[in-house]
Coordinates of all heavy atoms in Angstrom, one line a residue:
M1 N 6.1 -9.2 -11.7 CA 4.9 -10.0 -12.2 C 4.3 -10.8 -11.0 O 3.1 -10.8 -10.9 CB 5.4 -11.0 -13.3 CG 4.3 -11.8 -13.9 SD 3.2 -10.7 -14.8 CE 2.2 -11.9 -15.6
I2 N 5.1 -11.4 -10.2 CA 4.7 -12.2 -9.0 C 4.0 -11.2 -8.0 O 3.0 -11.5 -7.4 CB 5.8 -13.0 -8.4 CG1 6.2 -14.1 -9.4 CG2 5.3 -13.6 -7.1 CD1 7.3 -14.9 -8.9
D3 N 4.7 -10.0 -7.9 CA 4.1 -9.0 -7.0 C 2.7 -8.6 -7.4 O 1.8 -8.4 -6.6 CB 5.1 -7.8 -6.9 CG 4.7 -6.8 -5.9 OD1 4.2 -7.3 -4.8 OD2 4.7 -5.6 -6.2
L4 N 2.5 -8.4 -8.7 CA 1.2 -8.0 -9.2 C 0.2 -9.1 -9.0 O -0.9 -8.8 -8.5 CB 1.3 -7.7 -10.7 CG 0.0 -7.4 -11.5 CD1 -0.5 -6.0 -11.0 CD2 0.3 -7.4 -12.9
I5 N 0.5 -10.3 -9.3 CA -0.4 -11.4 -9.0 C -0.7 -11.6 -7.6 O -1.9 -11.8 -7.2 CB 0.1 -12.7 -9.7 CG1 0.2 -12.6 -11.2 CG2 -0.8 -13.9 -9.3 CD1 0.9 -13.7 -11.9
G6 N 0.3 -11.5 -6.7 CA 0.1 -11.6 -5.3 C -0.7 -10.5 -4.7 O -1.6 -10.7 -3.9
G7 N -0.5 -9.3 -5.3 CA -1.3 -8.1 -4.9 C -2.8 -8.3 -5.3 O -3.7 -7.9 -4.5
I8 N -3.0 -8.8 -6.4 CA -4.4 -9.1 -6.9 C -5.1 -10.1 -5.9 O -6.2 -9.8 -5.5 CB -4.5 -9.5 -8.3 CG1 -4.1 -8.4 -9.2 CG2 -5.8 -10.1 -8.7 CD1 -3.9 -8.7 -10.7
F9 N -4.4 -11.2 -5.6 CA -5.0 -12.2 -4.8 C -5.2 -11.6 -3.4 O -6.3 -11.8 -2.8 CB -4.1 -13.4 -4.6 CG -4.3 -14.4 -5.7 CD1 -3.3 -14.8 -6.6 CD2 -5.6 -15.0 -5.8 CE1 -3.6 -15.7 -7.5 CE2 -5.8 -16.0 -6.8 CZ -4.8 -16.3 -7.7
L10 N -4.3 -10.9 -2.9 CA -4.4 -10.3 -1.5 C -5.5 -9.2 -1.4 O -6.3 -9.2 -0.5 CB -3.0 -9.7 -1.1 CG -2.9 -9.3 0.4 CD1 -3.1 -10.6 1.3 CD2 -1.5 -8.7 0.6
D11 N -5.5 -8.3 -2.4 CA -6.4 -7.2 -2.4 C -7.8 -7.6 -2.7 O -8.8 -7.3 -2.1 CB -6.0 -6.1 -3.3 CG -4.8 -5.3 -2.7 OD1 -4.5 -5.5 -1.5 OD2 -4.2 -4.5 -3.5
V12 N -8.0 -8.4 -3.8 CA -9.3 -8.7 -4.3 C -9.9 -9.9 -3.6 O -11.0 -9.8 -2.9 CB -9.3 -9.0 -5.8 CG1 -10.6 -9.5 -6.3 CG2 -8.8 -7.8 -6.6
L13 N -9.2 -11.0 -3.6 CA -9.8 -12.2 -3.0 C -9.8 -12.2 -1.4 O -10.8 -12.3 -0.8 CB -9.1 -13.4 -3.5 CG -9.6 -14.8 -3.1 CD1 -11.0 -14.9 -3.7 CD2 -8.7 -15.9 -3.6
G14 N -8.6 -11.9 -0.9 CA -8.4 -11.9 0.6 C -9.2 -10.8 1.3 O -9.9 -11.0 2.2
Y15 N -9.0 -9.6 0.8 CA -9.6 -8.4 1.4 C -11.2 -8.5 1.3 O -11.9 -8.2 2.3 CB -9.1 -7.1 0.8 CG -9.8 -5.9 1.3 CD1 -9.5 -5.4 2.6 CD2 -10.8 -5.2 0.6 CE1 -10.1 -4.2 3.1 CE2 -11.5 -4.1 1.1 CZ -11.1 -3.6 2.3 OH -11.8 -2.5 2.8
T16 N -11.7 -8.9 0.2 CA -13.1 -9.0 0.0 C -13.7 -10.0 0.9 O -14.8 -9.8 1.5 CB -13.5 -9.2 -1.5 OG1 -12.9 -8.2 -2.3 CG2 -15.0 -9.3 -1.7
T17 N -13.0 -11.2 1.0 CA -13.5 -12.2 1.9 C -13.5 -11.7 3.3 O -14.5 -12.0 4.1 CB -12.6 -13.5 1.8 OG1 -12.6 -13.9 0.4 CG2 -13.0 -14.6 2.7
A18 N -12.4 -11.1 3.8 CA -12.4 -10.6 5.2 C -13.4 -9.5 5.4 O -14.0 -9.5 6.4 CB -11.0 -10.1 5.5
R19 N -13.6 -8.7 4.4 CA -14.6 -7.6 4.5 C -16.0 -8.1 4.8 O -16.8 -7.5 5.5 CB -14.5 -6.7 3.3 CG -15.4 -5.5 3.3 CD -14.6 -4.3 3.7 NE -15.5 -3.2 3.7 CZ -15.1 -2.0 4.1 NH1 -13.9 -1.8 4.6 NH2 -15.9 -1.0 4.1
L20 N -16.3 -9.3 4.2 CA -17.6 -9.9 4.3 C -17.7 -10.8 5.6 O -18.7 -10.7 6.3 CB -17.9 -10.8 3.1 CG -18.1 -10.0 1.8 CD1 -18.2 -11.0 0.6 CD2 -19.3 -9.1 1.8
L21 N -16.6 -11.5 5.9 CA -16.7 -12.5 7.0 C -16.4 -12.0 8.4 O -17.0 -12.4 9.3 CB -15.7 -13.7 6.7 CG -16.2 -14.6 5.6 CD1 -15.1 -15.7 5.4 CD2 -17.5 -15.2 5.8
V22 N -15.5 -11.0 8.5 CA -15.1 -10.5 9.8 C -16.3 -10.0 10.6 O -16.5 -10.3 11.8 CB -13.9 -9.5 9.7 CG1 -13.7 -8.8 11.0 CG2 -12.6 -10.3 9.3
P23 N -17.1 -9.1 10.0 CA -18.2 -8.6 10.8 C -19.2 -9.7 11.2 O -19.8 -9.6 12.2 CB -18.9 -7.5 9.9 CG -17.8 -7.1 9.0 CD -16.9 -8.3 8.8
I24 N -19.4 -10.7 10.3 CA -20.3 -11.8 10.6 C -19.8 -12.6 11.7 O -20.5 -13.0 12.7 CB -20.5 -12.6 9.3 CG1 -21.3 -11.8 8.3 CG2 -21.3 -13.9 9.6 CD1 -21.4 -12.5 6.9
V25 N -18.5 -13.0 11.6 CA -17.9 -13.9 12.7 C -17.8 -13.2 14.0 O -18.0 -13.8 15.1 CB -16.5 -14.4 12.2 CG1 -15.8 -15.1 13.3 CG2 -16.7 -15.3 10.9
T26 N -17.5 -11.9 14.0 CA -17.4 -11.2 15.3 C -18.6 -10.5 15.7 O -18.6 -9.7 16.7 CB -16.3 -10.1 15.2 OG1 -16.6 -9.2 14.2 CG2 -14.9 -10.7 14.8
F27 N -19.8 -10.8 15.1 CA -21.1 -10.2 15.4 C -21.0 -8.7 15.4 O -21.6 -8.0 16.2 CB -21.6 -10.7 16.8 CG -21.7 -12.2 16.8 CD1 -20.8 -12.9 17.5 CD2 -22.8 -12.8 16.2 CE1 -21.0 -14.3 17.6 CE2 -22.9 -14.2 16.2 CZ -22.0 -14.9 16.9
G28 N -20.3 -8.1 14.5 CA -20.2 -6.7 14.3 C -19.3 -5.9 15.2 O -19.2 -4.7 15.1
R29 N -18.6 -6.6 16.1 CA -17.7 -5.9 17.0 C -16.4 -5.4 16.3 O -15.8 -4.5 16.8 CB -17.3 -6.8 18.2 CG -18.5 -7.0 19.1 CD -18.0 -7.8 20.3 NE -19.1 -8.8 20.6 CZ -18.8 -10.1 20.7 NH1 -17.6 -10.5 20.8 NH2 -19.8 -10.9 20.9
V30 N -16.0 -6.1 15.2 CA -14.8 -5.7 14.5 C -15.2 -5.4 13.1 O -15.9 -6.1 12.4 CB -13.8 -6.9 14.5 CG1 -12.5 -6.5 13.7 CG2 -13.4 -7.3 15.9
R31 N -14.6 -4.2 12.6 CA -14.9 -3.8 11.2 C -13.5 -3.8 10.5 O -12.5 -3.7 11.1 CB -15.5 -2.5 11.2 CG -16.9 -2.4 11.7 CD -17.5 -1.1 11.7 NE -16.6 -0.2 12.5 CZ -16.6 1.1 12.6 NH1 -17.5 1.7 11.9 NH2 -15.8 1.8 13.3
V32 N -13.6 -3.9 9.2 CA -12.4 -3.9 8.4 C -12.2 -2.5 7.8 O -13.1 -1.9 7.4 CB -12.5 -4.9 7.2 CG1 -11.2 -4.8 6.3 CG2 -12.6 -6.3 7.8
Q33 N -10.9 -2.0 7.9 CA -10.6 -0.7 7.5 C -10.7 -0.6 5.9 O -10.6 -1.6 5.2 CB -9.1 -0.5 7.8 CG -8.6 0.9 7.6 CD -7.1 1.0 8.0 OE1 -6.4 0.0 7.9 NE2 -6.7 2.1 8.5
A34 N -11.0 0.6 5.4 CA -11.0 0.8 4.0 C -9.7 0.4 3.3 O -8.7 0.5 4.0 CB -11.4 2.3 3.7
L35 N -9.8 0.0 2.1 CA -8.6 -0.6 1.4 C -7.4 0.3 1.4 O -6.3 -0.2 1.7 CB -9.0 -1.1 0.0 CG -8.0 -1.9 -0.7 CD1 -7.7 -3.2 0.1 CD2 -8.5 -2.3 -2.1
R36 N -7.5 1.5 1.1 CA -6.4 2.4 1.0 C -6.3 3.5 2.1 O -5.7 4.5 1.9 CB -6.4 3.1 -0.4 CG -6.3 2.2 -1.6 CD -5.0 1.5 -1.6 NE -4.9 0.5 -2.7 CZ -4.3 -0.7 -2.7 NH1 -3.7 -1.0 -1.6 NH2 -4.4 -1.5 -3.7
A37 N -6.9 3.2 3.2 CA -6.9 4.1 4.3 C -5.6 4.1 5.0 O -4.8 3.1 5.0 CB -8.0 3.8 5.3
E38 N -5.3 5.1 5.8 CA -4.0 5.2 6.5 C -4.1 4.4 7.8 O -5.1 4.5 8.6 CB -3.8 6.7 6.9 CG -2.4 7.0 7.3 CD -1.4 6.9 6.2 OE1 -1.7 7.1 5.1 OE2 -0.2 6.5 6.6
P39 N -3.2 3.5 8.0 CA -3.2 2.6 9.3 C -3.1 3.5 10.5 O -2.4 4.5 10.5 CB -2.0 1.7 9.1 CG -1.4 2.0 7.8 CD -2.0 3.2 7.2
Q40 N -3.8 3.1 11.6 CA -3.9 3.9 12.8 C -3.1 3.2 13.9 O -3.7 3.0 15.0 CB -5.3 4.1 13.2 CG -6.1 4.9 12.1 CD -7.5 5.0 12.5 OE1 -8.0 4.4 13.5 NE2 -8.3 5.6 11.7
G41 N -1.9 2.8 13.7 CA -1.1 2.1 14.8 C -1.6 0.8 15.2 O -1.9 0.6 16.4
P42 N -1.8 -0.1 14.3 CA -2.3 -1.5 14.7 C -1.3 -2.3 15.5 O -0.1 -2.0 15.4 CB -2.7 -2.1 13.4 CG -1.7 -1.5 12.4 CD -1.5 -0.1 12.9
N43 N -1.8 -3.3 16.2 CA -0.9 -4.2 16.9 C -0.4 -5.2 15.9 O -0.7 -5.2 14.7 CB -1.6 -4.8 18.1 CG -2.8 -5.7 17.8 OD1 -3.0 -6.0 16.6 ND2 -3.6 -6.0 18.8
W44 N 0.2 -6.3 16.4 CA 0.8 -7.3 15.6 C -0.2 -8.0 14.7 O 0.1 -8.5 13.6 CB 1.6 -8.3 16.4 CG 2.9 -7.8 16.9 CD1 3.3 -6.5 17.1 CD2 4.0 -8.6 17.1 NE1 4.5 -6.4 17.5 CE2 5.1 -7.7 17.5 CE3 4.3 -9.9 17.0 CZ2 6.3 -8.2 17.9 CZ3 5.6 -10.4 17.4 CH2 6.6 -9.5 17.8
F45 N -1.4 -8.2 15.2 CA -2.4 -8.9 14.5 C -3.3 -8.0 13.6 O -4.2 -8.5 13.0 CB -3.3 -9.7 15.5 CG -2.6 -10.6 16.3 CD1 -2.3 -10.4 17.6 CD2 -2.1 -11.8 15.8 CE1 -1.6 -11.3 18.4 CE2 -1.3 -12.7 16.5 CZ -1.1 -12.5 17.8
G46 N -3.0 -6.7 13.5 CA -3.7 -5.8 12.6 C -4.9 -5.1 13.2 O -5.6 -4.4 12.5
F47 N -5.1 -5.2 14.5 CA -6.2 -4.6 15.2 C -5.9 -3.3 15.8 O -4.8 -3.1 16.3 CB -6.8 -5.5 16.3 CG -7.4 -6.8 15.7 CD1 -6.7 -8.0 15.8 CD2 -8.7 -6.7 15.2 CE1 -7.3 -9.1 15.3 CE2 -9.3 -7.9 14.7 CZ -8.6 -9.1 14.7
S48 N -6.8 -2.3 15.7 CA -6.6 -1.0 16.4 C -8.0 -0.5 16.8 O -9.0 -1.1 16.5 CB -5.9 0.0 15.5 OG -6.7 0.2 14.3
R49 N -8.0 0.6 17.5 CA -9.3 1.2 17.9 C -9.7 2.2 16.9 O -8.9 3.1 16.4 CB -9.2 1.9 19.2 CG -9.1 0.9 20.4 CD -10.4 0.6 20.9 NE -10.3 -0.3 22.0 CZ -11.2 -1.1 22.4 NH1 -12.3 -1.2 21.8 NH2 -11.0 -2.0 23.4
A50 N -10.9 2.2 16.5 CA -11.5 3.3 15.6 C -11.8 4.5 16.4 O -11.8 4.5 17.6 CB -12.7 2.7 14.8
A51 N -12.1 5.6 15.7 CA -12.4 6.8 16.4 C -13.7 6.7 17.2 O -13.8 7.4 18.3 CB -12.6 7.9 15.3
D52 N -14.6 5.8 16.9 CA -15.8 5.7 17.7 C -15.7 4.7 18.8 O -16.6 4.3 19.5 CB -17.0 5.3 16.8 CG -16.8 4.0 16.1 OD1 -15.7 3.4 16.2 OD2 -17.7 3.5 15.4
G53 N -14.5 4.1 19.0 CA -14.2 3.2 20.1 C -14.3 1.7 19.7 O -14.0 0.9 20.5
S54 N -14.8 1.4 18.5 CA -14.9 0.0 18.1 C -13.5 -0.5 17.6 O -12.6 0.3 17.4 CB -15.9 -0.1 17.0 OG -15.5 0.6 15.9
R55 N -13.4 -1.8 17.5 CA -12.2 -2.4 16.9 C -12.2 -2.3 15.4 O -13.2 -2.4 14.8 CB -12.1 -3.9 17.3 CG -11.8 -4.1 18.8 CD -10.4 -4.3 18.9 NE -10.1 -4.6 20.3 CZ -8.9 -4.4 20.8 NH1 -8.0 -3.9 20.0 NH2 -8.6 -4.7 22.0
Q56 N -11.0 -2.2 14.9 CA -10.9 -2.1 13.4 C -9.7 -2.9 13.0 O -8.6 -2.9 13.6 CB -10.6 -0.6 13.0 CG -10.7 -0.4 11.6 CD -10.7 1.1 11.3 OE1 -10.3 1.9 12.1 NE2 -11.2 1.5 10.1
L57 N -9.9 -3.7 11.9 CA -8.8 -4.6 11.4 C -8.2 -3.9 10.2 O -8.9 -3.4 9.3 CB -9.4 -5.9 11.0 CG -8.5 -6.9 10.4 CD1 -7.4 -7.3 11.4 CD2 -9.3 -8.2 10.0
E58 N -6.9 -3.8 10.2 CA -6.1 -3.1 9.1 C -6.4 -3.8 7.8 O -6.5 -5.1 7.8 CB -4.6 -3.1 9.5 CG -3.8 -2.3 8.4 CD -2.3 -2.6 8.6 OE1 -1.9 -3.5 9.3 OE2 -1.6 -1.8 8.0
A59 N -6.4 -3.1 6.7 CA -6.8 -3.7 5.4 C -5.8 -4.7 4.9 O -6.2 -5.8 4.4 CB -6.9 -2.5 4.4
T60 N -4.5 -4.5 5.1 CA -3.5 -5.5 4.7 C -3.6 -6.8 5.5 O -3.6 -7.9 4.9 CB -2.1 -4.9 4.9 OG1 -2.0 -3.7 4.2 CG2 -1.1 -5.9 4.3
M61 N -3.8 -6.7 6.8 CA -4.0 -7.9 7.6 C -5.3 -8.6 7.3 O -5.4 -9.8 7.3 CB -3.9 -7.6 9.1 CG -2.5 -7.3 9.5 SD -1.3 -8.6 9.2 CE -1.9 -9.9 10.3
A62 N -6.3 -7.8 7.0 CA -7.6 -8.4 6.6 C -7.4 -9.2 5.3 O -8.0 -10.3 5.2 CB -8.6 -7.3 6.4
G63 N -6.6 -8.7 4.4 CA -6.3 -9.5 3.1 C -5.6 -10.8 3.4 O -6.0 -11.8 2.8
W64 N -4.7 -10.8 4.4 CA -4.0 -12.0 4.7 C -5.0 -13.0 5.4 O -4.9 -14.2 5.1 CB -2.8 -11.7 5.6 CG -1.6 -11.2 4.9 CD1 -1.2 -9.9 4.9 CD2 -0.8 -11.9 3.9 NE1 -0.1 -9.8 4.0 CE2 0.1 -11.0 3.4 CE3 -0.8 -13.2 3.4 CZ2 1.1 -11.4 2.5 CZ3 0.1 -13.6 2.5 CH2 1.1 -12.7 2.0
Y65 N -5.8 -12.5 6.3 CA -6.8 -13.4 7.0 C -7.7 -14.0 6.0 O -8.1 -15.1 6.0 CB -7.5 -12.6 8.1 CG -6.7 -12.2 9.3 CD1 -7.0 -11.1 10.0 CD2 -5.7 -13.0 9.7 CE1 -6.2 -10.7 11.1 CE2 -4.9 -12.7 10.8 CZ -5.2 -11.5 11.5 OH -4.5 -11.2 12.6
G66 N -8.2 -13.1 5.0 CA -9.1 -13.6 4.0 C -8.5 -14.7 3.1 O -9.1 -15.7 2.7
L67 N -7.2 -14.4 2.8 CA -6.5 -15.4 1.9 C -6.3 -16.7 2.7 O -6.4 -17.8 2.1 CB -5.2 -14.8 1.5 CG -4.5 -15.3 0.3 CD1 -5.5 -15.2 -0.9 CD2 -3.3 -14.6 0.0
F68 N -6.0 -16.6 4.0 CA -5.9 -17.8 4.8 C -7.2 -18.6 4.8 O -7.1 -19.9 4.8 CB -5.5 -17.4 6.2 CG -5.3 -18.6 7.1 CD1 -4.3 -19.4 7.0 CD2 -6.3 -18.8 8.1 CE1 -4.1 -20.5 7.9 CE2 -6.2 -19.9 9.0 CZ -5.1 -20.8 8.9
V69 N -8.3 -18.0 4.8 CA -9.6 -18.7 4.8 C -9.7 -19.5 3.5 O -10.1 -20.7 3.5 CB -10.8 -17.7 4.9 CG1 -12.1 -18.4 4.6 CG2 -10.8 -17.1 6.3
W70 N -9.3 -18.9 2.4 CA -9.4 -19.6 1.1 C -8.4 -20.8 1.0 O -8.7 -21.8 0.4 CB -9.2 -18.6 -0.1 CG -10.4 -17.9 -0.3 CD1 -10.6 -16.5 -0.1 CD2 -11.7 -18.4 -0.8 NE1 -11.9 -16.2 -0.4 CE2 -12.6 -17.3 -0.9 CE3 -12.1 -19.6 -1.3 CZ2 -13.9 -17.4 -1.4 CZ3 -13.4 -19.7 -1.7 CH2 -14.3 -18.7 -1.8
I71 N -7.2 -20.6 1.6 CA -6.3 -21.7 1.7 C -6.8 -22.9 2.5 O -6.7 -24.0 2.1 CB -4.9 -21.2 2.2 CG1 -4.3 -20.3 1.3 CG2 -4.0 -22.4 2.6 CD1 -3.1 -19.5 1.8
V72 N -7.5 -22.6 3.6 CA -8.1 -23.6 4.4 C -9.2 -24.3 3.6 O -9.4 -25.5 3.6 CB -8.6 -23.1 5.7 CG1 -9.5 -24.1 6.5 CG2 -7.4 -22.6 6.6
V73 N -10.0 -23.5 2.9 CA -11.1 -24.1 2.1 C -10.5 -25.0 1.0 O -11.1 -26.1 0.8 CB -11.9 -23.0 1.4 CG1 -12.9 -23.5 0.3 CG2 -12.7 -22.2 2.5
V74 N -9.5 -24.6 0.3 CA -8.9 -25.5 -0.7 C -8.3 -26.8 -0.1 O -8.5 -27.9 -0.6 CB -7.8 -24.7 -1.5 CG1 -6.9 -25.6 -2.3 CG2 -8.4 -23.6 -2.3
I75 N -7.7 -26.7 1.1 CA -7.1 -27.9 1.7 C -8.3 -28.8 2.1 O -8.2 -30.0 1.9 CB -6.3 -27.5 3.0 CG1 -5.0 -26.8 2.5 CG2 -6.0 -28.7 3.8 CD1 -4.2 -26.2 3.6
V76 N -9.4 -28.3 2.7 CA -10.5 -29.1 3.1 C -11.1 -29.8 1.8 O -11.4 -31.0 1.9 CB -11.5 -28.3 3.8 CG1 -12.8 -29.0 4.0 CG2 -11.0 -27.9 5.2
V77 N -11.3 -29.0 0.8 CA -11.9 -29.6 -0.5 C -11.0 -30.7 -1.0 O -11.5 -31.8 -1.4 CB -12.2 -28.5 -1.5 CG1 -12.5 -29.1 -2.9 CG2 -13.3 -27.6 -1.1
L78 N -9.7 -30.5 -1.1 CA -8.8 -31.5 -1.6 C -8.8 -32.7 -0.7 O -8.7 -33.9 -1.2 CB -7.4 -30.9 -1.7 CG -7.2 -29.9 -2.8 CD1 -5.7 -29.3 -2.7 CD2 -7.4 -30.5 -4.2
A79 N -8.9 -32.5 0.6 CA -8.9 -33.7 1.5 C -10.2 -34.5 1.4 O -10.2 -35.7 1.4 CB -8.8 -33.2 3.0
L80 N -11.3 -33.8 1.1 CA -12.6 -34.5 0.9 C -12.7 -35.2 -0.4 O -13.3 -36.2 -0.6 CB -13.8 -33.5 1.0 CG -14.0 -32.9 2.4 CD1 -15.1 -31.9 2.3 CD2 -14.4 -34.1 3.4
L81 N -12.0 -34.7 -1.4 CA -12.0 -35.3 -2.8 C -11.0 -36.5 -2.9 O -11.1 -37.2 -3.8 CB -11.7 -34.3 -3.8 CG -12.7 -33.2 -4.1 CD1 -12.2 -32.2 -5.1 CD2 -14.0 -33.9 -4.5
R82 N -10.2 -36.6 -1.9 CA -9.2 -37.7 -1.9 C -9.7 -39.0 -1.7 O -10.6 -39.4 -1.1 CB -8.2 -37.4 -0.9 CG -6.9 -37.8 -1.3 CD -5.8 -37.4 -0.5 NE -4.9 -38.5 -0.6 CZ -3.6 -38.5 -0.4 NH1 -3.1 -37.5 0.2 NH2 -2.9 -39.5 -0.6

């Protein structure tokens, strides 16, 4: 049950957030891999080279990065409401 809920948060909330924010923050230099695509040998931070030479962020790591953004947003909102 916890795995299902965690997977939903990671895939839906985190991945979608990263899919939208990563290209904006990196000015299009880094793209996020498709959700169920085969990883292409990423490094520890989830980055690898795409076939066209651009940087690509692995889908699972993108989900974690996106979830981290939401955790920071919640902490900032709670701090401001205090």
Side-chain angles (χ1 to χ4, degrees):
M1 182 69 169
I2 292 174
D3 186 42
L4 177 67
I5 294 170
I8 289 171
F9 273 119
L10 191 63
D11 286 347
V12 174
L13 189 63
Y15 175 76
T16 305
T17 301
R19 184 94 178 177
L20 294 172
L21 289 182
V22 166
I24 293 170
V25 171
T26 63
F27 301 107
R29 285 186 228 131
V30 178
R31 294 179 300 169
V32 176
Q33 185 180 37
L35 191 57
R36 300 293 177 215
E38 196 67 32
Q40 300 175 357
N43 64 10
W44 282 30
F45 299 107
F47 293 99
S48 64
R49 289 268 180 206
D52 62 357
S54 64
R55 288 263 184 204
Q56 191 171 20
L57 180 60
E58 184 191 14
T60 305
M61 287 303 292
W64 284 109
Y65 290 148
L67 203 56
F68 178 73
V69 167
W70 283 109
I71 290 170
V72 169
V73 166
V74 167
I75 290 172
V76 167
V77 167
L78 288 175
L80 291 174
L81 292 177
R82 214 173 150 161

